[in-house]
Amino acid sequence: DAGVIQSPRHEVTEMGQEVTLRCKPISGHDYLFWYRQTMMRGLELLIYFNNNVPIDDSGMPEDRFSAKMPNASFSTLKIQPSEPRDSAVYFCASSFYLGTVNTEAFFGQGTRLTVV
Amino acid sequence: GENVEQHPSTLSVQEGDSAVIKCTYSDSASNYFPWYKQELGKRPQLIIDIRSNVGEKKDQRIAVTLNKTAKHFSLHITETQPEDSAVYFCAASKGTGGYQKVTFGTGTKLQVIP
């Protein structure tokens, strides 16, 4: 398996534009996470899915952010409209749940978003 | 929810010395504690994890200790090398009764000076 795959690796967009980040989790993993990383706030969990269903989106900063997982092999994180303060590295991660214990999360390479 | 505090935020050591990073957590039900290493410009990657049924775990030059009573856990790196320079994140989560989200600490930037 190639691991968690994110696209694009880098995105530069103008304020007000829509941005869509994409993620392909590791095959067989039933959990998918979206994280945002900034110098000021570190790694923040935005939302996570279990079997394609959103479980906890309490970390989504505001209504401009939305995430979907239409099937087990694909997820998107959309920002509309984008703002300069959304500039960050966005990571997608996936893992599977072993009955009663968590397992490690495998991270994608991240998307560096710059909103100008 | 869970709150994870990590110290120090930056750490410089001479090559060959040991490095220790400490974390505390707030939820006594947390029972899974992974540590991630993030090299500059790269993704976080798991380096070691520990579950609440053990107090210590070692893997070559790295070890993690867990004190459930005090609700703190630590990462120990011995004989540090320049390639150990990175940001290290601790995390805590609950694993029973359904998956709980992993809460990360704020990270420690480790610099190993040759």
Side-chain angles (χ1 to χ4, degrees):
Chain A
D1 200 315
V4 177
I5 300 173
Q6 290 185 246
S7 64
R9 292 291 309 279
H10 303 274
E11 177 79 36
V12 180
T13 191
E14 292 185 346
M15 181 174 62
Q17 296 297 307
E18 178 180 295
V19 175
T20 299
L21 311 182
R22 297 173 175 80
C23 176
K24 181 180 186 306
I26 293 173
S27 177
H29 282 189
D30 53 355
Y31 282 87
L32 184 139
F33 309 84
W34 281 101
Y35 287 92
R36 179 173 65 177
Q37 186 175 37
T38 61
M39 288 294 295
M40 292 296 294
R41 302 175 69 91
L43 264 173
E44 300 175 275
L45 177 66
L46 301 177
I47 184 172
Y48 74 93
F49 296 83
N50 174 226
N51 291 323
N52 315 337
V53 176
I55 302 300
D56 186 343
D57 65 354
S58 59
M60 296 286 261
E62 45 197 280
D63 292 345
R64 298 184 297 107
F65 286 69
S66 62
K68 294 182 179 180
M69 192 166 185
N71 57 61
S73 59
F74 184 66
S75 177
T76 60
L77 177 67
K78 186 177 294 186
I79 308 172
Q80 166 64 18
S82 58
E83 297 183 2
R85 59 195 171 112
D86 301 331
S87 298
V89 179
Y90 291 82
F91 286 103
C92 174
S94 70
S95 71
F96 65 96
Y97 188 51
L98 272 178
T100 58
V101 293
N102 295 337
T103 61
E104 82 174 275
F106 290 84
F107 283 78
Q109 292 185 303
T111 295
R112 182 174 295 277
L113 174 65
T114 303
V115 183
V116 298
Chain B
E2 176 67 274
N3 181 45
V4 177
E5 295 190 355
Q6 183 172 349
H7 300 281
S9 57
T10 60
L11 179 60
S12 291
V13 299
Q14 292 289 330
E15 182 178 357
D17 288 350
S18 295
V20 180
I21 302 170
K22 298 181 179 181
C23 290
T24 60
Y25 60 99
S26 61
D27 190 340
S28 58
S30 290
N31 59 6
Y32 176 62
F33 307 92
W35 285 87
Y36 288 82
K37 175 183 179 182
Q38 186 178 25
E39 297 177 354
L40 187 63
K42 297 190 176 180
R43 74 188 86 186
Q45 291 189 289
L46 183 80
I47 55 171
I48 194 168
D49 57 10
I50 190 168
R51 302 188 188 279
S52 59
N53 56 345
V54 297
E56 184 176 5
K57 184 177 179 180
K58 290 183 179 180
D59 184 2
Q60 299 182 340
R61 295 187 298 107
I62 60 174
V64 58
T65 58
L66 171 66
N67 183 325
K68 287 211 70 180
T69 302
K71 291 190 284 187
H72 66 70
F73 55 113
S74 301
L75 178 71
H76 304 251
I77 306 174
T78 59
E79 301 173 17
T80 54
Q81 301 169 3
E83 52 265 37
D84 295 329
S85 297
V87 178
Y88 292 81
F89 293 94
C90 65
S93 75
K94 293 183 284 190
T96 57
Y99 196 100
Q100 299 292 326
K101 62 186 179 184
V102 176
T103 302
F104 283 87
T106 50
T108 296
K109 184 176 182 180
L110 173 64
Q111 181 183 19
V112 180
I113 303 167

